[in-house]
Amino acid sequence: NAIHDCSSSLAHSNSGNKVMVLITDGTPTRGGGDENGSSQPQHKVFASSEANRAKSVDQDITILPVVVKESVSVDTNYLQTLGSKDNLMVQVTDFADLDDTLGAVVDLVQCAVDETCQVVRAHNFENDSNDWVSGHVNDAAWKRQSENPNFVGQGALRLKDDNKFARWTSPIYSIAGGHVSFVKVEFEFCASSHSDDGNHFQFQVNLDSSWWVNQKTYAYQKDFWNEKCYYELLEIPDSDITSTIQFRFLGEMGDNDYTYFTSFKVIACHKNT
């Protein structure tokens, strides 16, 4: 909840560079559901989703985790993923050391804002599928959500069932590989009525109209839970792209298990000198 509250405050800032310094002595213990405690994986997923939303191109907040290693519950590998870059994290042994790290924090923040990003295309599925192609009218259909009581009436790409037609495929985007350092994608999805631990969907990438490669698999009760929405941010290195890029969601779910995709953005970034 701290990331969400801080993001809300920074939303009113007119600053060109917005930075969130996340000081923590442990992994998340609440926020993702009713059961509290650092052993509950849904709290980590919830915190990651809120961090992704803060780092999105719309909010454009740089997150710098400052980890105090006093607590036995500290998972530094996970907490580092909340930052805006893989190596963007400061560690101290106790709270007394925080004052001595301020210089390092400032240096890292300056390094974190050395890139410029531009949206290639933003898809909003409120009114239609917005040029995404369904594999099958029943298994992948544009719907106003009705199964999920928290999001009734919201337009989205719906995915269900586990046959080969349960997929949504994006348009093909032109990407000049030599002019960008990497491509980011951002998307929001919501889940409802999943009952099988084996339920999952894949996010796949097709580079230069060649073949589909799985970028990430999202599994029920590992990466998402029912009646929740999540914001994802993934990065594709420029070295893999020469001219075009395309994406798709592929479902492996039961007939009455629903996943909804409400928005999708493709973003090209380059590093400033």
Side-chain angles (χ1 to χ4, degrees):
N1 290 336
I3 297 175
H4 173 81
D5 293 342
C6 189
S7 298
S8 298
S9 298
L10 286 172
H12 304 291
S13 171
N14 295 321
S15 173
N17 294 323
K18 294 180 285 188
V19 178
M20 180 190 307
V21 178
L22 179 64
I23 301 175
T24 179
D25 64 346
T27 52
T29 58
R30 63 184 64 192
D34 295 332
E35 297 182 59
N36 293 331
S38 59
S39 63
Q40 303 300 325
Q42 61 265 40
H43 301 315
K44 285 186 176 181
V45 175
F46 173 80
S48 295
S49 177
E50 289 300 316
N52 288 338
R53 193 184 300 275
K55 294 180 288 187
S56 70
V57 68
D58 290 338
Q59 297 198 22
D60 195 24
I61 299 172
T62 298
I63 299 181
L64 171 61
V66 177
V67 179
V68 183
K69 300 181 68 175
E70 284 183 333
S71 171
V72 295
S73 70
V74 170
D75 182 348
T76 54
N77 291 331
Y78 163 73
L79 292 170
Q80 188 169 10
T81 67
L82 301 179
S84 294
K85 293 181 180 295
D86 290 340
N87 60 347
L88 191 65
M89 186 174 74
V90 174
Q91 298 184 54
V92 296
T93 55
D94 53 49
F95 282 98
D97 289 339
L98 277 177
D99 288 343
D100 296 333
T101 66
L102 289 179
V105 169
V106 172
D107 290 342
L108 281 172
V109 168
Q110 290 175 338
C111 291
V113 293
D114 65 346
E115 63 191 37
T116 302
C117 296
Q118 182 175 6
V119 176
V120 176
R121 183 164 181 185
H123 296 273
N124 186 310
F125 306 122
E126 178 60 28
N127 296 312
D128 54 36
S129 62
N130 204 206
D131 294 332
W132 281 61
V133 177
S134 165
H136 191 271
V137 67
N138 291 321
D139 304 315
W142 179 86
K143 292 284 186 180
R144 291 204 177 276
Q145 298 186 50
S146 58
E147 293 86 359
N148 190 320
N150 294 323
F151 314 105
V152 169
Q154 184 175 358
L157 307 183
R158 189 185 73 181
L159 196 64
K160 71 185 186 85
D161 216 336
D162 60 354
N163 66 53
K164 64 181 180 179
F165 300 112
R167 62 178 180 264
W168 277 104
T169 305
S170 77
I172 296 175
Y173 310 96
S174 295
I175 302 291
H179 300 287
V180 299
S181 303
F182 56 92
V183 170
K184 294 192 293 187
V185 294
E186 301 176 4
F187 61 89
E188 183 173 37
F189 71 94
C190 310
S192 184
S193 303
H194 289 266
S195 58
D196 184 354
D197 289 354
N199 286 349
H200 65 271
F201 67 88
Q202 295 181 348
F203 174 65
Q204 300 182 337
V205 179
N206 188 325
L207 302 173
D208 303 322
S209 300
S210 53
W211 55 82
W212 291 101
V213 177
N214 186 37
Q215 194 78 7
K216 184 174 179 178
T217 298
Y218 294 82
Y220 174 55
Q221 292 192 332
K222 177 176 179 284
D223 301 291
F224 64 90
W225 280 258
N226 285 326
E227 320 314 331
K228 296 284 185 182
C229 287
Y230 302 93
Y231 203 91
E232 282 294 294
L233 194 160
L234 300 174
E235 185 175 309
I236 295 95
D238 171 57
S239 58
D240 296 334
I241 307 164
T242 59
S243 60
T244 64
I245 191 167
Q246 190 177 23
F247 307 97
R248 75 178 179 185
F249 295 107
L250 189 67
E252 291 286 344
M253 300 171 266
D255 188 53
N256 294 313
D257 303 316
Y258 303 98
T259 302
Y260 299 92
F261 302 93
T262 58
S263 65
F264 192 94
K265 291 186 179 71
V266 184
I267 304 148
C269 302
H270 71 270
K271 296 185 181 296
N272 300 324
T273 57

